[in-house]
Amino acid sequence: MLNSHTIHAPQILTIERHILEMQRKFPEATGALTGLLYDLALAGKLIASQTTRAGLVEILGKEGSVNVQGEQVMKLDRLADETIYRLNDHTGRLAIMGSEEHEDPLPIPEGYPKGKYVLLYDPLDGSSNIDYNVSIGTIFAIYRRKSATGPGTLEDCLQPGRDLVAAGYLIYGSSTMLVYSTGQGVHGFTLDPTVGEFLLSHPDIRMPQKPTYYSVNQGYENLWSEGVRQYTYYLQGKKKGFKGLSLRYIGSMVADFHRNLLTGGVYYYPAVPSQPQGKLRLLYEAVPLAFIAEQAGGYASDGRRNILDIQPESLHQRTPLFIGNRGLVEKAEEYIARYD
Ligand code: AHM
Ligand code: MG
């Protein structure tokens, strides 16, 4: 029987219901975006079910071998890539896809209907961590197609972050989470593995005003520009007026970003002489996280301009990235303008 305690208990909201309730605010919505987001949540569950078994490679079979079920064993990043593609290639929601794993845009196969959205994704980010039981993630960006009909084109993929319809990430960590935004705040869901549902656990995430961490691969310090070095001294509290932050660096951007989103802080991956454009990819790494950061009250820059304002020129374009609390990212721009 209900009593006053149960009536005031927090609501349990599945991702499906949450996305549907968001959709209701747009009477003109056809449900295509809702379905697409829901399929990405499903892809996340399927990928998580594999990442949790990553350490069993030795006993279940190495890549290229045939496993106990008689299936060809695939590397996790290829498996994640195929999972996302195959869940979305036949739904009629997408005109084209683009993945970190493929040089060219991925067309929708002949015979399947072409839809109005474009999906760009990094199937498994932080791949250097896969073999060591460290958190990894999937990042996705969704645009409206620009071409009118027929198969989507490369131009449909080359849109500035400003035009994003939705973006988000999945993180495969101590729990699996999906964090997304359609431009109405940032919402986080945690997978309850016992029932296989993503439940709303972090409604309307805002980056705390007071930051806690800075995250950078400090091992490259001797390769940095003077601006980046001076900026790092600032973050370490070596300049007047700021007491400094703790350092945390996982080397999986999704995990580093996610932590800083919840604690406040800044993640950066600057350019170095051997990677003058930076390491990270603009379209499916920097832009979607920049959108999430901005929706949570933060900011992302390439050191000189807003990541969301960059007009991409190629699918796998790289960019330096500074992302996190607005004040901290603006400080990076200040140091870079002063010293570089
Ligand atoms: P990946 O897409 O090959 O995994 O590369 C991107 C990753 C980010 O997740 C991470 O922040 C960065 O590369 C780590 O690079 P480094 O090992 O040079 O610090
Ligand atoms: Mg990546």
Side-chain angles (χ1 to χ4, degrees):
M1 198 169 104
L2 289 179
N3 56 35
S4 59
H5 177 74
T6 46
I7 286 169
H8 291 109
Q11 275 188 345
I12 297 176
L13 202 59
T14 63
I15 195 162
E16 191 175 14
R17 262 189 57 202
H18 187 268
I19 296 172
L20 273 172
E21 279 176 23
M22 287 280 175
Q23 182 195 314
R24 258 188 224 124
K25 295 183 184 163
F26 298 91
E28 72 284 4
T30 59
L33 181 63
T34 301
L36 177 49
L37 288 168
Y38 193 65
D39 283 342
L40 287 166
L42 178 57
K45 285 189 224 175
L46 292 169
I47 296 169
S49 74
Q50 297 299 323
T51 57
T52 51
R53 304 172 83 221
L56 299 173
V57 155
E58 286 304 322
I59 48 174
L60 296 183
K62 286 195 195 315
E63 195 205 2
S65 65
V66 174
N67 70 13
V68 281
Q69 280 99 37
E71 301 154 339
Q72 195 74 20
V73 177
M74 249 194 259
K75 260 188 94 178
L76 267 184
D77 35 14
R78 279 192 47 219
L79 200 113
D81 178 60
E82 273 215 6
T83 302
I84 297 173
Y85 181 75
R86 287 184 44 211
L87 271 174
N88 288 289
D89 65 353
H90 59 281
T91 60
R93 296 178 184 122
L94 293 175
I96 195 157
M97 290 183 249
S99 158
E100 172 164 359
E101 293 284 313
H102 299 269
E103 198 50 41
D104 297 318
L106 299 166
I108 301 302
E110 289 277 318
Y112 289 134
K114 317 290 180 280
K116 61 179 172 182
Y117 291 109
V118 176
L119 173 66
L120 304 177
Y121 61 95
D122 182 353
L124 218 47
D125 184 61
S127 40
S128 68
N129 284 315
I130 291 177
D131 292 341
Y132 313 112
N133 207 358
V134 175
S135 300
I136 42 184
T138 296
I139 312 174
F140 59 88
I142 299 168
Y143 292 92
R144 215 164 266 114
R145 70 182 298 173
K146 291 177 86 179
S147 52
T149 50
T153 62
L154 175 62
E155 278 59 49
D156 287 326
C157 300
L158 301 181
Q159 302 192 44
R162 229 5 106 211
D163 296 343
L164 270 173
V165 172
Y169 59 85
L170 284 134
I171 175 168
Y172 314 105
S174 46
S175 52
T176 298
M177 281 191 73
L178 187 148
V179 176
Y180 87 101
S181 177
T182 51
Q184 302 171 76
V186 178
H187 309 286
F189 301 79
T190 302
L191 180 65
D192 181 340
T194 58
V195 294
E197 284 281 5
F198 278 105
L199 303 177
L200 181 63
S201 53
H202 296 65
D204 213 356
I205 300 173
R206 303 292 298 170
M207 208 174 269
Q209 289 294 316
K210 200 172 157 300
T212 307
Y213 299 118
Y214 78 99
S215 312
V216 70
N217 190 335
Q218 195 99 34
Y220 301 142
E221 184 172 348
N222 62 341
L223 304 172
W224 290 343
S225 68
E226 192 53 26
V228 173
R229 200 167 303 144
Q230 293 295 329
Y231 173 56
T232 307
Y233 294 155
Y234 167 81
L235 295 172
Q236 292 171 331
K238 292 178 180 161
K239 309 267 182 191
K240 263 201 219 116
F242 185 58
K243 77 172 182 36
L245 303 173
S246 251
L247 167 67
R248 288 279 191 286
Y249 187 72
I250 297 168
S252 268
M253 180 169 58
V254 171
D256 278 309
F257 174 80
H258 181 71
R259 185 202 51 246
N260 292 353
L261 178 70
L262 300 181
T263 62
V266 62
Y267 165 97
Y268 50 113
Y269 204 111
V272 294
S274 60
Q275 289 171 319
Q277 309 306 320
K279 173 184 183 184
L280 300 170
R281 312 300 183 137
L282 177 67
L283 284 173
Y284 42 78
E285 292 183 325
V287 159
L289 297 189
F291 183 74
I292 298 283
E294 212 174 274
Q295 282 291 317
Y299 173 49
S301 166
D302 70 352
R304 298 181 191 280
R305 58 194 164 151
N306 191 324
I307 288 284
L308 297 177
D309 290 335
I310 301 175
Q311 172 61 53
E313 281 160 16
S314 63
L315 189 58
H316 301 289
Q317 185 169 333
R318 296 177 191 268
T319 179
L321 176 66
F322 299 79
I323 186 165
N325 281 73
R326 176 166 283 278
L328 291 181
V329 175
E330 283 173 352
K331 263 285 180 241
E333 290 179 332
E334 234 176 273
Y335 275 97
I336 285 166
R338 192 177 327 152
Y339 289 95
D340 294 349

